[in-house]
Amino acid sequence: MTTAKATPRQGRWKDKQPPEKAWKGRPGRTRAQASAEQDKAAGGPDRRWVDLGEGRRARASVELKVLTKTRRIRAYLRWSDKGTTRRPVYLGEVEHETRRENLAEAWRRAIDRGLVQRPQEEAPASSWAASHSVRASMQGNRSRDTAPEKLLRKHLHERGVRYRVSHRPLRSLRRTADVAFPGVRVAVFVDGCFWHGCPDHCRWPATNEDFWRNKIEGNRTRDAETNRVLEESGWLPVRVWEHEDPSVAAEKIIALVRARRRTAAPGHAGSQLAIPQKVGDGVLGTAQHDATVARTVGEQTAAPTKAGLC
């Protein structure tokens, strides 16, 4: 990759410092907001990739700096490789009145100079995605530490609950609980409304509808199978939709964990909650499972105590 310097431009601020609105970011912005600002300036998130070689790439950002002595705004392209920030590439001076315009100008230069990869209009033939942008969006989905998971963990932690994150309840089963309480065998799964077919919020995509329907129905079948296998092994699976109030969900989980601890205590009549395995002729679905868990807890346990959780 070339690092040749761009030809400096004669700036417009000769006798005073450039205004902060021309280069400085908004105070208090989040990482997501800063990334969205860069995406917009570059013309889309798929225009920010730097080729690292050997099939690897990194997402770059434009940084604006003010040189005190010359009173000029300089733009640099920056990115990281394996956690190490690489030497920034100088893009030249910018002189617009707003930060938005200066970022856009810097990104145009980076694209024109070939410093970033040009976006592909179509996805590779081996991909099921309808377009490159859809493929990039799917690749960016997190498998753990999603926003709903973090909110639920935050509310549990605030209530003094201690738990394990991304825990596999059974070594023989390739299923990972988002939050787990191994001591009382409670496994919590935070299900996305789209990926797990929420009856209230799942909307079938207009493109590749058959693929997505099979994919989501397959996930629902897998969820039901996970519930069954865990219950047969003495675990209590709990399903939480991403649209649920995390505070309410946390209270439900705490009640279930306390109930499991009481039923496992010495001298108690039962060793664990007895959750019915099936409804009618089929395995419990997600909604049926949660309703059955709530009803069974009410029938088999007394009111929650103030005992601590582990």
Side-chain angles (χ1 to χ4, degrees), residues 145-157:
D145 293 336
T146 62
E149 291 175 28
K150 289 182 177 180
L151 281 175
L152 178 62
R153 285 165 14 201
K154 174 177 177 291
H155 284 278
L156 289 171
H157 193 275

Side-chain angles (χ1 to χ4, degrees), residues 188-221:
V188 181
F189 300 86
V190 182
D191 294 337
C193 290
F194 174 76
W195 291 105
H196 295 264
C198 171
D200 297 326
H201 301 99
C202 181
R203 298 294 181 268
W204 302 110
T207 305
N208 287 346
E209 181 177 352
D210 290 340
F211 169 84
W212 286 113
R213 189 174 293 276
N214 292 334
K215 174 70 174 177
I216 294 173
E217 290 296 343
N219 288 343
R220 296 173 69 175
T221 300

Side-chain angles (χ1 to χ4, degrees), residues 134-151:
V134 171
R135 184 169 184 261
S137 177
M138 294 301 100
Q139 288 177 331
N141 285 329
R142 290 174 174 265
S143 61
R144 57 171 289 179
D145 293 336
T146 62
E149 291 175 28
K150 289 182 177 180
L151 281 175

Side-chain angles (χ1 to χ4, degrees), residues 20 37 60 71 76 108 207 246 264 271:
E20 288 189 351
E37 178 188 45
R71 294 182 289 276
Y76 298 85
R108 281 194 292 271
T207 305
S271 61

Side-chain angles (χ1 to χ4, degrees), residues 4-301:
K5 292 186 176 181
T7 302
R9 301 173 58 186
Q10 182 63 32
R12 63 190 304 174
W13 297 286
K14 298 180 180 179
D15 303 321
K16 61 180 180 180
Q17 292 292 331
E20 288 189 351
K21 68 176 184 178
W23 64 275
K24 194 172 185 178
R26 180 173 59 82
R29 59 181 176 168
T30 64
R31 178 176 297 183
Q33 291 170 335
S35 181
E37 178 188 45
Q38 294 284 339
D39 291 344
K40 186 174 182 180
D46 55 340
R47 294 178 176 267
R48 293 175 52 195
W49 294 108
V50 173
D51 185 9
L52 301 178
E54 299 179 353
R56 298 184 303 116
R57 62 179 185 172
R59 181 161 291 180
S61 297
V62 166
E63 180 182 21
L64 300 178
K65 287 186 176 182
V66 172
L67 275 67
T68 305
K69 294 182 179 180
T70 62
R71 294 182 289 276
R72 302 289 184 264
I73 301 176
R74 287 190 170 187
Y76 298 85
L77 189 69
R78 305 176 63 93
W79 66 91
S80 297
D81 183 6
K82 296 181 179 179
T84 301
T85 301
R86 312 305 298 176
R87 183 178 180 180
V89 177
Y90 177 52
L91 300 174
E93 296 177 358
V94 289
E95 55 179 22
H96 295 287
E97 288 287 348
T98 65
R99 173 180 168 85
R100 177 179 60 81
E101 293 174 307
N102 285 326
L103 284 176
E105 172 68 22
W107 273 111
R108 281 194 292 271
R109 296 182 191 179
I111 293 172
D112 291 343
R113 291 170 56 184
L115 297 175
V116 292
Q117 295 178 326
R118 293 188 178 275
Q120 302 176 17
E121 296 299 328
E122 298 182 358
S126 59
S127 174
W128 48 259
S131 66
H132 180 74
S133 59
V134 171
R135 184 169 184 261
S137 177
M138 294 301 100
Q139 288 177 331
N141 285 329
R142 290 174 174 265
S143 61
R144 57 171 289 179
D145 293 336
T146 62
E149 291 175 28
K150 289 182 177 180
L151 281 175
L152 178 62
R153 285 165 14 201
K154 174 177 177 291
H155 284 278
L156 289 171
H157 193 275
E158 288 177 347
R159 289 162 173 77
V161 179
R162 299 299 177 261
Y163 46 81
R164 293 188 182 181
V165 177
S166 296
H167 178 75
R168 181 177 290 185
L170 304 176
R171 293 185 177 181
S172 60
L173 183 67
R174 294 188 61 183
R175 303 291 193 277
T176 301
D178 299 310
V179 176
F181 302 84
V184 290
R185 294 190 178 184
V186 173
V188 181
F189 300 86
V190 182
D191 294 337
C193 290
F194 174 76
W195 291 105
H196 295 264
C198 171
D200 297 326
H201 301 99
C202 181
R203 298 294 181 268
W204 302 110
T207 305
N208 287 346
E209 181 177 352
D210 290 340
F211 169 84
W212 286 113
R213 189 174 293 276
N214 292 334
K215 174 70 174 177
I216 294 173
E217 290 296 343
N219 288 343
R220 296 173 69 175
T221 300
R222 178 186 173 94
D223 293 342
E225 179 191 10
T226 300
N227 292 344
R228 178 184 60 80
V229 174
L230 290 180
E231 288 165 2
E232 289 176 350
S233 301
W235 280 79
L236 177 63
V238 179
R239 298 279 172 179
V240 178
W241 287 113
E242 67 170 321
H243 69 259
E244 291 188 56
D245 186 330
S247 178
V248 175
E251 293 293 349
K252 178 178 72 172
I253 293 168
I254 291 173
L256 291 173
V257 171
R258 286 175 174 167
R260 294 278 285 190
R261 173 169 293 129
R262 285 198 307 276
T263 56
H268 195 277
S271 61
Q272 63 182 32
L273 293 177
I275 305 298
Q277 300 294 330
K278 297 188 177 183
V279 173
D281 297 327
V283 178
L284 280 171
T286 301
Q288 294 171 315
H289 170 268
D290 280 356
T292 304
V293 168
R295 183 171 62 254
T296 304
V297 169
E299 293 173 351
Q300 300 185 20
T301 67

